Amino acid sequence: MSRVAAIDCGTNSIRLLVADVPAGAAHTDLLRRMEVVRLGEGVDATGRLAPQAIERTRLVLAEYAAAAHDLGATAVRMVATSATRDAANRADFEDMVVTTLGRAPDVVTGREEAELSFLGATASLDAAARAHGAEPPRPPFLVVDIGGGSTEFVLGDGSGVRAARSVDIGCVRMTERHLHGDPPSAAEVRRAEDDIRTALDVVSAEVPVAEAASLVGLAGSVTTVAALALELPAYDADAIHGSRIPVDAVRAVTADLLAATRERRAAMAVMHPGRVDVIGAGALVLRVLMDEFGMTEVVVSEHDILDGIALRLARG
């Protein structure tokens, strides 16, 4: 049994998982936390991480380091993704992490990010299906991780990853590039759609998406869309994990989010405050990719790169 701490620092949020990972069995969560710090605020325009964004991240990271220590984690790994890869001043961020956590972050490539997401997302799909009284989704899986700065696409099955591609169409990046109105105008939405489709052309040239038997969606944009589609009275991870959302429901939720004002989005019972400003773009990425790739439903996973980091750390 290994007790490990995994930290995922993305463009929009920083998350912690402390878990016990037995050999050959499902891991048990001891603590999960997520805080929106917007590390990638403005990085698409400036190419640099803002000092205030680094400081917001430092404050939360200090709390995570203390929690991992108090729970007795014997190994800690922090993975940093899209925003950090893109930043000219990433050394400032890395120095802060070493000072705060005692070790450097792993600034992973898009390929490794995709592989970690695939491992985390698919490890518990069979168990989630049983909990819902449903048949397990069929491989091969196209796992799609819609992050803040980028979206990862990875095709694989039980034997591992066949192909993967990361493209810069995350929910924060799409919002900052295109969706400026409250609510965004039809012209803004069309420009975002065009940008997403251009990126999907790159994906389809490298990933044989037609081979996928199941689409698996993960991260906060997808889980929030699922919660809205399921009409949950409050956010319920157990109800969301393993749920199957038809494309018509994704279209309806996306249209509603893009037509809503910020005030109305913030009032939605399942909405995390940190997703209010970017959920429309995240939902749009999901809807466009489902339409472009002819996907009839998305299997929603609450497990993602964070779980993949923990599993890879424990297994060596």
Side-chain angles (χ1 to χ4, degrees), residues 17-169:
L17 169 62
V18 182
D20 284 334
V21 186
H27 59 288
T28 301
D29 293 4
L30 300 176
L31 176 65
R32 272 185 198 264
R33 281 191 56 186
M34 188 275 282
E35 301 291 339
V36 172
V37 294
R38 293 283 177 85
L39 177 62
E41 179 184 16
V43 75
D44 190 51
T46 68
R48 300 180 64 82
L49 298 171
Q52 65 269 22
I54 295 176
E55 175 62 11
R56 289 194 300 265
T57 305
R58 184 192 69 79
L59 293 172
V60 176
L61 183 60
E63 295 178 7
Y64 287 3
H69 178 269
D70 291 347
L71 288 170
T74 57
V76 179
R77 184 186 185 194
M78 177 177 175
V79 166
T81 53
S82 176
T84 313
R85 281 198 302 267
D86 297 343
N89 63 332
R90 66 186 262 184
D92 295 341
F93 171 78
E94 292 172 336
D95 290 346
M96 178 277 289
V97 173
V98 170
T99 301
T100 307
L101 190 62
R103 68 201 66 216
D106 292 329
V107 182
V108 297
T109 64
R111 172 75 185 203
E112 186 176 359
E113 184 177 354
E115 291 174 346
L116 289 168
S117 294
F118 183 86
L119 174 62
T122 60
S124 63
L125 286 181
D126 286 1
R130 288 194 298 269
H132 286 279
E135 290 293 318
R138 293 186 301 110
F141 306 113
L142 178 65
V143 172
V144 177
D145 183 350
I146 302 175
S150 63
T151 295
E152 279 62 57
F153 295 79
V154 54
L155 180 74
D157 53 26
S159 63
V161 170
R162 298 183 185 180
R165 176 68 199 222
S166 177
V167 287
D168 288 340
I169 52 170

